Structures are given as structure tokens and as C-alpha cells.
Amino acid sequence: AGAGGDSQECVVVRWPSIAGKRYELRWTEDLLAGFYLVASDLLAQGSAMTYTNHTHGAPRGFFRIVPLE
């Protein structure tokens, strides 16, 4: 069994960005199952983006950053 978590726990995702570019953040617990949309239309203000996501008790997972056109 994975480590349980309090529903108030958070993870901070940080990535390099380009000012003025928009990004989408996706998440999955299983890389073979596909990704779910967490946040869309995130506008970069500088050279780094930060997004805080509640874990909702998920023991672990993977994020994907998608640059939007």
C-alpha cells in the first residue's frame, strides 16, 4: 500500500517558462493510463512558473507541463 496522505497536503510544481507564453499542467498516477488536466491557460510572467496543487491523498504521481500555442 502507498503512503496515505492528508487531503490538505500540497505539492509545488516549478518549471522554466517564457514570459507571455501560456501553459497547461497535467497529472497522472500511472504513466500508462494517460494524463488528466489540472490547470489550463497558465500565463507565464517571467522565466519560471510555480503552481501549487492539492494532492487529495494521492500517494504519488507525475506531472506534465504542456506549452500552449
Side-chain angles (χ1 to χ4, degrees):
D6 181 356
S7 63
Q8 298 302 314
E9 290 181 5
C10 296
V11 63
V12 177
V13 182
R14 182 178 167 91
W15 66 95
S17 62
I18 298 171
K21 189 147 184 82
R22 295 182 187 279
Y23 296 86
E24 192 171 85
L25 182 65
R26 298 179 183 188
W27 179 87
T28 187
E29 216 174 298
D30 178 355
L31 290 172
L32 299 177
F35 283 79
Y36 299 94
L37 183 63
V38 172
S40 184
D41 204 30
L42 301 170
L43 179 61
Q45 300 294 320
S47 61
M49 290 282 295
T50 302
Y51 185 86
T52 301
N53 188 62
H54 294 280
T55 62
H56 301 290
R60 68 181 128 204
F62 304 90
F63 287 93
R64 174 182 283 170
I65 309 303
V66 180
L68 302 175
E69 294 299 321

